[in-house]
Amino acid sequence: GETELIEYAKNHQILSLDANQNTVVDRLTGLNRQLLEAENDRILAEANYRKALDPGALQALSSETAREVDGAESRLSVLRESRAQMLVGATEKWPEVKEINQQISELEKNIKHLKDDAANTLKTNLETRYRQALEHENVLRDAFNKQRGETLQQNEAAINYRIKQQEIDTNKVLLQGILQREKENDVAVRGSTNNVSVV
């Protein structure tokens, strides 16, 4: 009966909600909530990181970099217009055309460099965020599993305690019954002694 109850509680991972175990169960519930939140954080961070690995996915660069790139591309557009106007009355060999070609080339390299740097930084940041979220989730999962084990252990201990308490209570009742009978026997024995008369 009682032993089967312990096995059932253990096998089915039943957690006691007795007042003396509320703190332990509250701690477990709290860790479970934190673990669920950490899982969601990790899923989101992982999705963002995986998206960033797709070719062309890093075009949504930081706003600061986007402003720099826009500024550089505006200057590039102006230089290309100037070059086109120069070539109306000049050839590629003109020093002014060579100079503007050099500026265009440098600006194009600068724009590519800005975009690549921003993309790499963003990718690194997303990867770092994902790794941290994963680590946080793993730490919480370990803490949850440890607390869960302790809670189940305490739950079994609580059931064992109740059984032992029941045995003690039963033994007390039996002992009281025996002591009561002994008293009654003593009284009966004393009473019969007083009734004995010498013949």
Side-chain angles (χ1 to χ4, degrees):
E2 293 288 352
T3 310
E4 286 172 18
L5 184 64
I6 294 174
E7 280 305 308
Y8 182 84
K10 191 177 177 184
N11 292 338
H12 292 79
Q13 299 175 346
I14 294 168
L15 301 178
S16 169
L17 291 175
D18 286 359
N20 65 340
Q21 287 198 299
N22 276 348
T23 308
V24 179
V25 175
D26 284 349
R27 200 175 299 138
L28 184 68
T29 309
L31 279 170
N32 187 51
R33 187 179 60 251
Q34 288 177 51
L35 178 58
L36 290 172
E37 287 169 3
E39 276 178 355
N40 288 336
D41 281 353
R42 188 262 307 155
I43 288 165
L44 187 62
E46 186 174 5
N48 288 336
Y49 172 55
R50 300 274 174 232
K51 230 186 290 173
L53 296 177
D54 292 342
L58 290 169
Q59 294 314 306
L61 306 174
S62 73
S63 56
E64 190 181 325
T65 303
R67 278 196 302 273
E68 280 187 72
V69 169
D70 285 347
E73 284 180 340
S74 293
R75 290 195 303 277
L76 184 63
S77 179
V78 169
L79 285 174
R80 283 176 176 158
E81 274 182 43
S82 296
R83 181 180 179 276
Q85 285 169 4
M86 275 185 196
L87 287 174
V88 171
T91 67
E92 290 283 352
K93 292 182 179 178
W94 273 37
E96 290 87 347
V97 175
K98 284 182 179 179
E99 174 63 27
I100 208 163
N101 282 346
Q102 179 66 29
Q103 288 176 9
I104 287 170
S105 176
E106 281 176 15
L107 203 47
E108 282 172 343
K109 281 180 194 168
N110 188 29
I111 290 167
K112 186 182 183 308
H113 181 68
L114 275 172
K115 285 183 175 179
D116 288 349
D117 269 7
N120 288 332
T121 301
L122 185 60
K123 191 171 99 176
T124 302
N125 289 346
L126 288 171
E127 183 179 8
T128 302
R129 173 78 190 90
Y130 162 55
R131 302 282 174 219
Q132 286 171 342
L134 183 63
E135 178 63 25
H136 183 56
E137 180 190 358
N138 288 337
V139 166
L140 278 171
R141 191 176 302 284
D142 288 346
F144 172 78
N145 288 334
K146 187 180 173 202
Q147 185 64 46
R148 189 165 161 274
E150 285 175 14
T151 305
L152 292 172
Q153 205 171 20
Q154 286 193 25
N155 191 54
E156 184 180 4
I159 294 169
N160 277 327
Y161 176 81
R162 281 198 288 277
I163 291 170
K164 289 184 190 308
Q165 191 66 52
Q166 207 170 35
E167 286 172 0
I168 290 165
D169 292 344
T170 306
N171 288 339
K172 275 183 189 172
V173 172
L174 288 172
L175 186 59
Q176 282 171 354
I178 291 166
L179 290 173
Q180 187 62 40
R181 269 192 231 109
E182 279 184 7
K183 280 181 188 172
E184 287 168 5
N185 287 343
D186 283 351
V187 170
V189 167
R190 277 196 225 105
S192 62
T193 307
N194 290 341
N195 292 335
V196 172
S197 54
V198 179
V199 178

